[in-house]
Amino acid sequence: MSTTISADTRASATSAGPRLRSGIVLATLLTCQLMIVLDITVMNVALPRIRTDLNFSATGLSWVMNAYTLVFGGLLLLGGRAGDLFGRRNMFIAGTTLFTLASLAGGLAPSATWLLIARVVQGIGAAMAGPNTLALLTTTFSEPKARMRVLALFSGMSSAGFAVGLIVGGLLTEWLGWRSALFINVPFGLAVAVLALRFLPEAQRQPARLDLPGAVTATTGVAALVYGFISAASNGWGNATTDTFLAVGAVLIATFLVIESRTAQPLLPLRLFADRNRAAAYANMFLGPMAGMSMFFFLTQYLQEVRGLSALATGFAFMPTALLMFTMIRLIPRLLPRFGPKPVTMTGTASMAAGLVLLTQLTVDSGYFPLLFVAMLLMGCGIGLAFSPLNVIIMSSVSPREAGAAGGALQTLQQTGAALGLAILVTIFGTASHSAGGSAQHALVSGITTAFGAAVGIAVLTFLVALTFRNPRPAD
């Protein structure tokens, strides 16, 4: 009897060990992803105070967001390919460490230039860690059901992190100041790096070559486009600087596509777009954030500068969005196999578009209830349903050999879409604000509602792309 009990105990301990290790690996990777995504929006509610403390201009303030998202998005492809070459575990740990150190430097920033440089370095660290986080998840959890579950969790961290970042940013800004929104990354980043060193398995390296011409043309091309749109907001569309940067950006992006079509080991393998559903998912991963990110950026300014809410109250105003996003994300592993990607993403994009339509009706006197509250609910439901299936669609059908490239392409389109979308909408906002009459608050609201109107158009385009999904037969 004692021998039997002892054997059972050893067997239980043996099976529990891998489960515990897998749980720690999953928690480590998801925590890193949440930290990276939080930094996209955690600064939003702090923007008015950052502008005051560091003397940013109204349009230049968007670079606090774009300096991070632009570099992050532009270097993600290179980060994924570098993981194949130097080891995904090594790149993950190095990227997390660099991101953590840059967060510390940003929190200590004495000037606007210092903060923007720190945000650029944060973006570099995030680009090293981000695609390798997704690739490590895909290769570590190879069983189909487990892979779908962890990809849904990853998508949840990626999507809901936008709203959670606003709540966390509001709490930190109100209680400890805007600098704490950067300092908070330090303990979490150190914990992720230590746990990764101890528990993260070493993934098999793939023979690869760094496509530096592709990386340079992609990053500088997107940067030139974004700067061109920001310049248009400040100087107008006929300005020589605006026209030059827009033209240079377009040429560089075209050059990047030519390079990728002729390179043996491209940063962005064009064969990833051969599958119809994957191509549509990539397109919506680019278009969706262009529309969705506008809500977080413009509503934080509306709530604080027009309605007079504190940073804390502004963060909690986004609670309905965060709760609905979490709820929808939890349902994705059940909804996607049953209904397929087409009805799920169509429902999500329609809900997001409806929320944006409501936001075009804002006035100086609009209260939180019912207009803003209903819009928040629609946006939370929409973002949760529209974007969460896209990670599963893209990553569940790629081979482990292409996991780094596929993950890098996914996150690149997401981040560059958000950066370009924000730049375009800030341009529209600036033009509408300058031409509006009345008080400063009326001009601000006029610019915000005009920007939301443009976001509606992008959301409609996202819906049209969702119509192209080939829907598989629902599971019984």
Side-chain angles (χ1 to χ4, degrees):
M1 175 70 73
S2 62
T3 303
T4 303
I5 294 174
S6 177
D8 290 344
T9 302
R10 287 196 300 271
S12 175
T14 301
S15 62
R19 286 199 302 268
L20 177 61
R21 188 182 186 93
S22 295
I24 294 174
V25 169
L26 178 61
T28 301
L29 294 173
L30 292 182
T31 299
C32 179
Q33 179 63 18
L34 180 60
M35 184 173 64
I36 289 172
V37 173
L38 281 177
D39 247 62
I40 298 173
T41 57
V42 74
M43 305 291 286
N44 259 297
V45 293
L47 288 177
R49 298 193 184 187
I50 293 173
R51 183 171 64 183
T52 300
D53 288 354
L54 301 181
N55 298 316
F56 275 97
S57 65
T59 52
L61 190 65
S62 66
W63 279 103
V64 175
M65 313 303 298
N66 278 334
Y68 177 74
T69 57
L70 183 60
V71 175
F72 181 24
L75 294 179
L76 273 166
L77 292 173
L78 185 62
R81 181 61 71 193
D84 293 337
L85 181 61
F86 301 114
R88 293 166 183 168
R89 178 178 179 271
N90 295 335
M91 288 297 293
F92 175 84
I93 294 171
T96 302
T97 303
L98 183 61
F99 178 89
T100 303
L101 293 175
S103 298
L104 177 63
L108 298 172
S111 66
T113 301
W114 182 305
L115 178 60
L116 292 181
I117 292 173
R119 293 288 281 172
V120 167
V121 179
Q122 274 189 307
I124 295 172
M128 295 167 65
N132 293 292
T133 301
L134 188 53
L136 285 167
L137 277 175
T138 305
T139 54
T140 302
F141 300 89
S142 56
E143 195 273 325
K145 289 185 178 180
R147 178 182 285 189
M148 177 172 284
R149 182 177 65 86
V150 299
L151 285 175
L153 289 172
F154 176 87
S155 180
M157 291 295 184
S158 300
S159 299
F162 288 116
V164 173
L166 294 170
I167 298 171
V168 172
L171 289 169
L172 293 173
T173 301
E174 187 72 19
W175 292 345
L176 301 173
W178 66 265
R179 296 177 188 275
S180 63
L182 291 166
F183 287 143
I184 194 66
N185 290 327
V186 177
F188 285 101
L190 290 175
V192 167
V194 170
L195 289 173
L197 282 169
R198 175 67 178 84
F199 294 102
L200 200 61
E202 181 63 72
Q204 181 179 359
R205 299 188 186 187
Q206 304 291 337
R209 180 179 64 83
L210 291 182
D211 178 16
L212 293 179
V216 171
T217 52
T219 305
T220 55
V222 174
L225 287 176
V226 171
Y227 187 83
F229 283 116
I230 294 293
S231 175
S234 303
N235 305 317
W237 291 102
N239 181 267
T241 301
T242 300
D243 295 340
T244 299
F245 273 93
L246 290 176
V248 169
V251 170
L252 286 172
I253 293 299
T255 303
F256 167 73
L257 294 176
V258 172
I259 291 172
E260 298 309 280
S261 67
R262 298 179 178 180
T263 301
Q265 293 182 329
L267 291 178
L268 182 62
L270 299 183
R271 61 181 175 273
L272 291 174
F273 299 90
D275 179 78
R276 175 171 158 181
N277 275 6
R278 194 186 301 138
Y282 274 129
N284 270 4
M285 190 59 79
F286 177 76
L287 292 170
M290 292 183 74
M293 280 297 292
S294 65
M295 179 191 72
F296 301 114
F297 182 78
F298 291 112
L299 274 189
T300 53
Q301 297 186 64
Y302 174 82
L303 290 170
Q304 292 187 64
E305 298 190 21
V306 178
R307 301 304 301 162
L309 269 64
S310 66
L312 180 62
T314 299
F316 276 102
F318 287 92
M319 183 69 78
T321 301
L323 292 177
L324 260 294
M325 288 171 70
F326 274 121
T327 302
M328 295 301 106
I329 288 161
R330 294 284 294 178
L331 294 176
I332 288 298
R334 298 179 183 178
L335 295 176
L336 198 58
R338 182 173 182 181
F339 298 105
K342 189 171 185 176
V344 175
T345 52
M346 285 175 61
T347 301
T349 51
S351 178
M352 183 176 68
L356 290 169
V357 168
L358 282 181
L359 293 176
T360 64
Q361 305 304 307
L362 287 174
T363 67
V364 173
D365 302 316
S366 295
Y368 187 76
F369 294 97
L371 191 149
L372 274 173
F373 179 72
V374 174
M376 294 278 192
L377 293 177
L378 289 170
M379 292 294 290
C381 179
I383 294 174
L385 289 178
F387 305 148
S388 296
L390 304 181
N391 289 292
V392 178
I393 294 168
I394 292 169
M395 297 303 299
S396 63
S397 60
V398 299
S399 66
R401 184 181 184 87
E402 293 186 326
L410 183 155
Q411 292 180 309
T412 294
L413 290 170
Q414 181 182 26
Q415 300 307 324
T416 54
L420 276 174
L422 183 57
I424 292 169
L425 295 176
V426 165
T427 302
I428 295 170
F429 160 78
T431 302
S433 297
H434 293 154
S435 61
S439 65
Q441 285 193 340
H442 279 92
L444 181 65
V445 172
S446 177
I448 288 173
T449 54
T450 304
F452 281 135
V456 171
I458 300 173
V460 170
L461 182 58
T462 308
F463 181 84
L464 295 177
V465 172
L467 289 174
T468 68
F469 276 117
R470 181 183 292 111
N471 211 43
R473 183 176 179 270
D476 296 328

